[in-house]
Amino acid sequence: MAKFGLSPFLVVLMLLSGGAVKGQNGSGREMVPAMFIFGDSLIDNGNNNNIPSFAKANYYPYGIDFNGGPTGRFSNGYKLITHDSTICRLYHNWICFEQVGRIPFDQQIRNFENTLNQLAGNLGAANMATALARCIFFVGMGSNDYLNNYLMPNYPTRNQYNGPQYADLLVQTYNQQLTRLYNLGARKFVIAGLGLMGCIPSILAQSTSGSCSEEVNLLVQPFNENVKNMLNNFNSNLPGARFIFADTVHMFQDILLNARSYGFTVINRGCCGIGRNRGQITCLPFQTPCPNRNQYVFWDAFHPTEAVNILMGRMAFNGNHNFVYPINIKQLAEL
């Protein structure tokens, strides 16, 4: 199951592949040869449909606003647009603490290596290396390490590590994994930070006041700070590498502060779900969701609506330094 903070950036793939760019420059051509995406169910398009897992979204009302119906996307909709010439592999799951039936980041990287072996046979090693250096690698990890591990009452992790220690542990592993991608030829990276997880319906449902959990929001701050420091170090010490940080916290804060101007009227409960804040039990098969989905920030207990996905994807693609830095994704693609 996935958490708030990443799925908006699938919109970036549409922008890079000409969907919105065509309207800007008239060419409609892809801005990069490929975009490789590593992450959890916030970006999953149904890759876990055929693996043993309780985290499924291949049933109605998931996909209610998607042209193909339920596909495994953890959202009410969002149409992902790519061109046939764009090579895109979507890998499902997260960093280092995984549950049964999901693919941890290390395995995702091994899957990517297998893809490279296939591409090398078709393109040749030299051509593949040149193409990889122009590709964008989008990575978003960490949400499930907190919500499906550290914050779970039946897990021992919280007794073993305090917040800063756990963030250090995660980012140490993250450092090794991103370095491995760099050594495989990746050069342009977009790294998504964790969002305001204390404000998702699942966490709100645990509060008697109905307000965001400041404890949870403060818990993930060290992770984001460590990631920023790691990326600064990479940019200074890895030749040819360009790492940018998508600041999901500031994106989400902007949406909450300006909800009305963005068209949102419901910011504290899911459109589909059961219990307090519609966050105690996530969207069940054939449950009737809210009719005014574009006015909701959250689709279910954990995931944003399509409207938020599109909005945050655009913030990351051509937004200012409040949302993505040191440059945005469009600028990264043009390098």
Side-chain angles (χ1 to χ4, degrees), residues 38 95 105 139-142 169-180 190-192 223 227 230 234:
F38 302 80
I95 271 187
F105 192 20
V139 186
M141 299 287 171
L169 174 67
L170 293 180
V171 177
Q172 286 171 10
T173 304
Y174 212 176
N175 187 304
Q176 297 168 4
Q177 292 163 326
L178 292 175
T179 301
R180 186 174 163 197
V190 181
I191 310 299
F223 178 87
V227 169
M230 173 182 66
F234 282 155

Side-chain angles (χ1 to χ4, degrees), residues 56-294:
K56 299 289 188 182
N58 55 354
Y59 56 82
Y60 179 90
Y62 286 100
I64 187 173
D65 298 313
F66 186 71
N67 190 41
T71 60
R73 290 171 170 83
F74 288 81
S75 175
N76 58 304
Y78 179 65
K79 184 177 292 185
L80 178 61
I81 302 173
T82 59
H83 287 210
D84 291 341
S85 58
T86 300
I87 305 168
C88 178
R89 298 290 185 267
L90 294 137
Y91 302 98
H92 182 76
N93 219 358
W94 47 83
I95 271 187
C96 53
F97 294 97
E98 74 281 1
Q99 295 179 336
V100 175
R102 296 173 174 85
I103 305 172
F105 192 20
D106 284 330
Q107 182 60 51
Q108 294 181 39
I109 296 174
R110 286 192 288 272
N111 291 346
F112 173 67
E113 288 184 274
N114 292 334
T115 300
L116 289 186
N117 291 334
Q118 297 172 27
L119 294 176
N122 294 326
L123 300 177
N127 289 336
M128 185 184 70
T130 300
L132 279 180
R134 294 180 52 226
C135 293
I136 285 181
F137 288 74
F138 187 96
V139 186
M141 299 287 171
S143 294
N144 285 307
D145 293 297
Y146 286 93
L147 291 169
N148 275 355
N149 189 304
Y150 194 81
L151 293 173
M152 296 288 284
N154 58 333
Y155 275 56
T157 315
R158 198 162 190 170
N159 296 324
Q160 297 171 338
Y161 308 97
N162 62 30
Q165 289 171 339
Y166 190 62
D168 288 344
L169 174 67
L170 293 180
V171 177
Q172 286 171 10
T173 304
Y174 212 176
N175 187 304
Q176 297 168 4
Q177 292 163 326
L178 292 175
T179 301
R180 186 174 163 197
L181 280 178
Y182 172 83
N183 290 335
L184 288 171
R187 291 297 181 267
K188 296 182 179 183
F189 292 84
V190 181
I191 310 299
L194 299 183
L196 290 176
M197 292 193 295
C199 297
I200 66 174
S202 175
I203 297 297
L204 291 175
Q206 303 172 35
S207 169
T208 56
S209 66
S211 58
C212 295
S213 170
E214 193 63 20
E215 178 186 6
V216 173
N217 285 337
L218 288 174
L219 177 65
V220 301
Q221 279 187 6
F223 178 87
N224 282 337
E225 291 304 316
N226 285 4
V227 169
K228 292 176 193 176
N229 291 334
M230 173 182 66
L231 302 188
N232 288 336
N233 181 64
F234 282 155
N235 282 329
S236 298
N237 296 297
L238 294 182
R242 294 301 299 267
F243 286 78
I244 66 175
F245 182 75
D247 196 332
T248 311
V249 165
H250 283 129
M251 293 181 190
F252 189 44
Q253 285 175 335
D254 182 73
I255 290 173
L256 293 184
L257 289 173
N258 302 287
R260 292 281 176 178
S261 64
Y262 285 125
F264 300 115
T265 60
V266 185
I267 64 174
N268 62 351
R269 66 180 184 271
C271 171
C272 187
I274 295 176
R276 189 183 299 116
N277 299 87
R278 291 195 178 180
Q280 291 179 291
I281 300 177
T282 198
C283 194
L284 296 177
F286 299 103
Q287 181 181 353
T288 301
C290 65
N292 52 336
R293 292 178 284 278
N294 285 339

